[in-house]
Amino acid sequence: MNVLSLFDGISCGQVALNRAGIKYDNYFASEINERAINITQKNFPATIQLGNVEDIDVADLPQIDLLIGGSPCQGFSLAGNQLNFDDPRSRLFFEYANMKTQLAPKYFLLENNRMKQEYQNVITDILGVEPIKINSSLLCAQNRARLYWTNIPTTVPEDKGNFLREIVGDYEGIWVYPRGWNKGGLQHYNWKSPTITTSSWEHNFFVVQNG
């Protein structure tokens, strides 16, 4: 099986395939962030890096059986400026759509943020399937609701009941640094944590332990 992962990041697609026990012959990756590429090649040295998604020539690729990707979400995010397809990053979705049309993979999967219905409908019309909404909080201790467009038979998983306290221990709250609309400060999460991200900021948040 040949896999093409667009916007591959640190190749979590390979992590998922391996955990699911799905065998593949070649894993082609499109990514431009050098740090992410370095991590991928350290963990998965057989990965075939293709560079910028806008520079890929499909004629150079074999038959692709599985096309996956999470096109940049900044333009769609309800927490951002919501430039949607006017944001050049989120407009890269059309590169994914073009690849799907040209390569005609047996299976495909696209992940993205929640967004305004009108833009969600654009993606749905182009890909030909309705998205499935899954919150990662069903499987881990983090709230991260995302949309998945796929022709792979999929069901929403049951809640495994994982909470942040089970991972970091008992805590008073989470100190969140100001970011955008988020005013920051000590916030109390007794159920699931907010989205945990890595970033270029010196600080993101830290857990305040009891006592």
Side-chain angles (χ1 to χ4, degrees):
M1 181 173 75
N2 293 319
V3 180
L4 172 58
S5 174
L6 306 181
F7 324 105
D8 187 59
I10 60 172
S11 221
C12 288
Q14 295 194 74
V15 175
L17 289 169
N18 291 340
R19 288 184 178 179
I22 299 174
K23 303 295 184 181
Y24 52 94
D25 300 300
N26 297 297
Y27 188 98
F28 298 89
S30 173
E31 179 56 55
I32 61 173
N33 185 289
E34 289 298 327
R35 292 182 178 179
I37 292 172
N38 289 340
I39 291 172
T40 293
Q41 296 307 126
K42 180 177 181 179
N43 293 330
F44 306 103
T47 303
I48 304 169
Q49 293 288 343
L50 302 177
N52 193 322
V53 65
E54 297 176 295
D55 298 330
I56 296 175
D57 185 347
V58 297
D60 296 332
L61 296 174
Q63 172 62 45
I64 297 298
D65 304 293
L66 171 62
L67 173 67
I68 61 177
S71 55
C73 65
Q74 294 94 332
F76 299 124
S77 175
L78 299 177
N81 295 324
Q82 296 179 49
L83 297 176
N84 299 294
F85 293 116
D86 289 330
D87 188 312
R89 297 166 296 182
S90 291
R91 197 160 57 238
L92 289 172
F93 155 74
F94 295 109
E95 296 292 336
Y96 178 97
N98 289 336
M99 290 285 180
K100 176 179 176 293
T101 298
Q102 295 181 64
L103 295 169
K106 183 176 181 179
Y107 298 110
F108 69 88
L109 170 69
L110 175 79
E111 174 270 345
N112 215 300
N113 248 333
R114 292 179 296 169
M115 61 187 73
K116 289 184 176 179
Q117 188 66 47
E118 61 186 292
Y119 301 106
Q120 178 178 313
N121 291 343
V122 170
I123 297 176
T124 295
D125 290 344
I126 291 175
L127 297 184
V129 294
E130 291 286 340
I132 299 170
K133 180 182 175 183
I134 299 177
N135 194 324
S136 295
S137 67
L138 296 174
L139 302 172
C140 66
Q142 177 180 210
N143 271 313
R144 193 174 178 83
R146 292 295 182 267
L147 299 174
Y148 299 87
W149 288 263
T150 184
N151 66 342
I152 302 171
T154 305
T155 57
V156 178
E158 295 183 1
D159 192 340
K160 291 185 175 294
N162 294 320
F163 299 95
L164 189 61
R165 294 183 188 279
E166 299 167 356
I167 299 172
V168 301
D170 197 26
Y171 65 96
E172 180 181 348
I174 297 176
W175 183 271
V176 181
Y177 286 84
R179 172 189 172 191
W181 53 267
N182 181 1
K183 298 184 183 302
L186 186 65
Q187 300 181 24
H188 299 274
Y189 296 99
N190 295 317
W191 187 53
K192 304 284 186 177
S193 82
T195 295
I196 300 172
T197 64
T198 58
S199 69
S200 59
W201 294 295
E202 181 180 0
H203 300 292
N204 193 349
F205 73 88
F206 62 85
V207 174
V208 179
Q209 301 284 6
N210 281 339

